[in-house]
Amino acid sequence: MKKWILATSVALALLGCANEASTPALPQGVSFIEAVAVKDGQVGIPYKKYRLANGLTLILHRDDSDPLVHVDVTYHVGSAREVAGRSGFAHLFEHMMFQGSEHVADEQHFKLVTEAGGNLNGTTNNDRTNYFETVPSNQLEKMLWLESDRMGFLLPALTEKKFEVQRETVKNERAQRIDNRPYGRMDEKFNQALYPLGHPYSWPVIGWPADLDRATVDDVKQFFQRWYGPNNATLTIGGDFDEAQALAWVDKYFAAIPSGPAVSAVAKSLMTLDKTRYLSMEDKVHLPLIRLGFPTVYARHADEPALDLLANIIGGGKTSLIYKDLVKDGYAVQAGVSHPCQELACLFSVYALANPAKGGQLAEIEARIRDAIAEFELRGVTDADLEKAKVQFEADTIFGLQSVSGKVSTLALNQTLAGNPNMIAADLARYASVTKEDVMRVFEQYIKDKPSVVMSVVPEGMGQLVAHQDNFQAQLLPAVADTATPIRVESVIPEDVDRNKVPLPGAAPLLKVPTLWQDKLANGIAVLGTRSQETPTVELVIYLDGGHRLVPVAKAGLAGLTAAMLNESSRSHSAEELAQALEMLGSHLSFGASDYQSYIKVSSLSEHLDQTLALLNEHLFTPAFDAADFERLKQQQLQSLEHLKSDANYLANQAFSRLLYGEQSPLGVSSSGTLASVASLTLEDVKAFYAEQYTAGNSQMVVVADLPQAEVMSKLAGFAAWQGKASPLPPLAPLPEPHAGTVYLVDKPGAAQSVIKLGKLALPYDATGEYFRAYLMNYPLGGAFNSRINLNLREDKGYSYGARSDFSGGSELGQFSASSSVRSDVTAPALSELIKELKRYHDSGLTDSELAFMRSSISQGQALDYETPYQKAGFMRMIQRYRLPADFTARQAKIIAGISKDELNRLANNLLDINQMVIVVVGDRASIEAELSALGYQVKLLAL
């Protein structure tokens, strides 16, 4: 720890003289605030900060490692700025801000960003709303034009129709993410009990449905004028750009936007509860859930770090007391503790998913949680506890700097909530300074014997499982009458700025495909690597051909269960001891399995790679295969399968795969297995699969590190003694006859939404063949936000929160699918529209403008493909797995540039015949079956 604390101190000292950095000449009205530099070996984000005369804060972070820029506009407005009866406005505005502005046509924002090869989104929480785009670096001016137009010129384009469509979209989002999701309504009910009546965190960010129904266009316009001025915003630009040019563009497009009304800080106060509040709800779930919450402080309070470390010690991972007392003993399938902080409040939160096999009584689970808390008080804080939590915080901070978007988001959030982008070194210092006495003090002050909120969520009809009889009843305040809000002055366009003209991009940046190296261990294991020196980290992934595909259908779930066992104890150490050793290094290690491979993922700080690999070797080569671990993990997997039955998307995917591939094929059965297959598994099955799967002959490695090739290979030399041949895949079962012309209905009684999925068998993966061309063909249909099916179902009809289609392929088989979650009451019309779009595309193909859009979007988007270590690792894995030539991306670029509309249309005609497609609908049979039948399809009930 001394080394880390010293480095933090040096970083803090460095920042004292950082303002001496040079700055470009400033446009009139732009003021320089500060410059922060970070020397090699220190943790931080270099940036320059400016402010415009209208109050807009500008932060610039230069990073030329990849030819891209990330633009973020964060407004200091979230649901906490709303008032009772008018909830959901901030989130609704997140949607409205993508619907065009005075000089940007309807749906043009998405089109322009996607066509430029970028991606975009917006998010809203209690405290802020942000909008962001990542694009090739030559597109920066266009992004600033777009963002400035919706900041200064949104209202002239805000129509009643747009408002109604986006209100329906928000309702669909709520139905998908809350009403139709297991435990989806828990948070909003829990928060009503935790926060005082009328507290701005007491209502959901997405809003109460009644408030959304009551809202008018004028309400929304007034909310925009109050909160979306430049003086309440931070514009952050990160990536490869010229600073002087960026300053000139920001001045050109943003300076004329007038300030909004003054914004004052929201008052902060510590919350307390007068007594423990119990509440409960029944839901369409299998696993009873209990959640305890203790109100603590607020973000950046002096006690926040000690409370974070306390949460880590009591309930963070396998070394925690909560894990030992609940999960290890099998009383809970999952359990954990966290201390999330927001601007106005933090929460010490404990949760546990009870194991029905142990009775599922939440009163007993609550007692065990409180016993674990009492055990902590008796045991106290050890030196190892403190060091582990601090090292993890440092490592997580470093891993968070691996992408430009991550760094920009950090700068923007710190500026918005703390008024200072430069908080990383200060945060490291304040966590490093926490003592054992600090942790015990905050435990005594905020947790010990303090009232809490205790919420039980139990399966329908099983109210006897709740922890305690309810003693709290939520209330809603009456809607607050709106008050007059100062109206912003209209933006005035300077004479030398033509806002009707879309800025042209600069010269296309050079694509920086990672420079790869190939090598082999002495036993023949292939290693594919690249050097990335942006952070002192190593990402290693070991892939083993086989996975679920290697397993007989009768033993489905075995690959995943075996991987889970390898995450447990070794012959020399317990799982808890191994987890403790990893945590003390700030490293992450996990075994997993998917359809065609098992895998091992390792993340490590470079300086700790040797110790991390030693722990990997112990897990991999000397597993204990303990009988008690096996029984616990098997029980967890069974309970997880029961839980998944309440997930409509899982049900749709399972039904679709069964119909496409058949029940006798491993591709037709979930890699998680079935209740019958998992129940039949034995510890001997695990040992046998381990011997078959985890061999050198099945293995390949991908590594992204800041170390040179020779050093990486020397550190991997311990794997050269690994032996064993490759395991051949068993033959696939014959494919079933197509089930076309029928709607297969999976009943989910009371579902707020229906999940629609339709498609057919298609092509196996091919990087430069017909499969790749099919991907290009599908892009305008359902591969982008402004694709045909998404614009139809979401933007035009308001039926869905989103719709998409794609081709997916492996080494043997592939499929085409189109899917959407839609409001239950429009299931049949939504299916009809989806089928119409597929038929139209099959018959007539794409247009010239869609062809141009596809070419521009996909070709320019390659600039974003290799930024983070895991993106690089994924790119290398594709080369390795499918034995692709080193220049395959250049070949793809040539195909994109040269493919004709006629060829793409022939593919659409060959591959998108609706009469060959399987149709699956998961929803409330009682309310949707008759209308589905009226479409002319035979409706068959499918049981899973």
Side-chain angles (χ1 to χ4, degrees), residues 264-296:
S264 57
V266 180
K268 301 177 183 179
S269 60
L270 297 184
M271 291 193 315
T272 57
L273 295 167
D274 56 349
K275 65 177 182 178
T276 292
R277 296 178 173 180
Y278 286 92
L279 69 158
S280 64
M281 62 175 281
E282 295 184 5
D283 200 0
K284 300 180 187 302
V285 296
H286 170 69
L287 300 175
L289 181 149
I290 188 169
R291 183 180 179 191
L292 283 72
F294 298 82
T296 58

Side-chain angles (χ1 to χ4, degrees), residues 487-783:
I487 302 300
R488 273 165 54 192
V489 178
E490 291 293 327
S491 301
V492 178
I493 305 173
E495 292 182 0
D496 60 341
V497 177
D498 184 359
R499 295 204 66 97
N500 290 299
K501 190 175 181 179
V502 180
L504 296 175
L510 292 175
L511 187 63
K512 295 184 179 180
V513 178
T515 301
L516 308 182
W517 54 262
Q518 298 186 58
D519 216 324
K520 283 188 177 182
L521 299 179
N523 56 359
I525 294 178
V527 183
L528 187 60
T530 189
R531 191 174 188 185
S532 176
Q533 296 178 276
E534 294 178 50
T535 55
T537 58
V538 177
E539 306 287 353
L540 168 69
V541 189
I542 303 174
Y543 294 95
L544 301 109
D545 291 336
H548 175 60
R549 176 67 179 81
L550 202 56
V551 177
V553 171
K555 295 184 184 295
L558 179 57
L561 186 56
T562 303
M565 286 292 290
L566 290 170
N567 285 313
E568 295 294 320
S569 52
S570 71
R571 291 197 291 268
S572 303
H573 296 94
S574 68
E576 292 77 14
E577 289 170 331
L578 291 169
Q580 174 89 353
L582 282 166
E583 290 166 348
M584 295 293 278
L585 298 171
S587 300
H588 301 275
L589 166 63
S590 63
F591 290 75
S594 58
D595 280 351
Y596 275 90
Q597 56 196 16
S598 297
Y599 52 84
I600 309 165
K601 294 183 178 180
V602 180
S603 297
S604 172
L605 300 177
S606 299
E607 62 180 319
H608 296 156
L609 181 58
D610 288 335
Q611 302 98 305
T612 303
L613 291 179
L615 291 167
L616 168 57
N617 273 268
E618 186 170 341
H619 273 282
L620 177 59
F621 298 124
T622 62
F625 289 134
D626 180 76
D629 288 342
F630 172 77
E631 290 301 329
R632 172 172 46 82
L633 293 174
K634 177 179 174 178
Q635 186 60 228
Q636 288 177 1
Q637 193 159 331
L638 287 168
Q639 298 302 337
S640 176
L641 286 168
E642 288 281 9
H643 168 68
L644 285 170
K645 289 182 179 180
S646 59
D647 186 326
N649 285 293
Y650 171 82
L651 295 175
N653 289 333
Q654 291 314 112
F656 188 73
S657 296
R658 181 193 294 186
L659 292 168
L660 245 55
Y661 302 108
E663 296 182 65
Q664 301 308 310
S665 170
L667 302 180
V669 181
S670 168
S671 60
S672 298
T674 66
L675 290 171
S677 68
V678 174
S680 72
L681 296 178
T682 67
L683 186 55
E684 293 306 312
D685 290 328
V686 167
K687 292 177 180 178
F689 184 75
Y690 166 76
E692 181 181 16
Q693 171 73 106
Y694 291 86
T695 67
N698 288 327
S699 305
Q700 294 177 310
M701 296 183 179
V702 165
V703 60
V704 182
D706 71 326
L707 307 173
Q709 175 183 351
E711 188 172 353
V712 171
M713 291 304 297
S714 70
K715 292 178 182 296
L716 295 177
F719 293 97
W722 196 358
Q723 297 299 311
K725 297 181 179 179
S727 305
L729 296 179
L732 283 172
L735 295 170
E737 290 296 320
H739 300 262
T742 301
V743 172
Y744 288 87
L745 176 60
V746 179
D747 189 20
K748 191 172 186 293
Q753 279 196 317
S754 299
V755 177
I756 300 171
K757 186 160 188 171
L758 65 161
K760 60 188 283 290
L761 291 173
L763 306 162
Y765 179 82
D766 184 339
T768 55
E770 192 172 55
Y771 175 86
F772 178 69
R773 289 167 168 80
Y775 156 71
L776 302 179
M777 174 270 289
N778 174 71
Y779 197 72
L781 172 65

Side-chain angles (χ1 to χ4, degrees), residues 401-416:
L401 304 179
Q402 291 182 329
S403 70
V404 172
S405 62
K407 290 183 283 187
V408 165
S409 298
T410 299
L411 292 170
L413 184 64
N414 285 338
Q415 171 62 35
T416 300

Side-chain angles (χ1 to χ4, degrees), residues 172 751-754 799 822-828 923-924 927-928 931:
N172 284 317
Q753 279 196 317
S754 299
Y799 289 166
V822 302
R823 289 199 331 262
S824 185
D825 64 314
V826 296
T827 302
D924 179 29
S927 61
I928 66 176
E931 290 189 356

Side-chain angles (χ1 to χ4, degrees), residues 202-220:
S202 65
W203 51 76
V205 173
I206 203 168
W208 297 118
D211 291 353
L212 292 171
D213 287 338
R214 189 164 43 237
T216 67
V217 173
D218 288 340
D219 292 333
V220 174

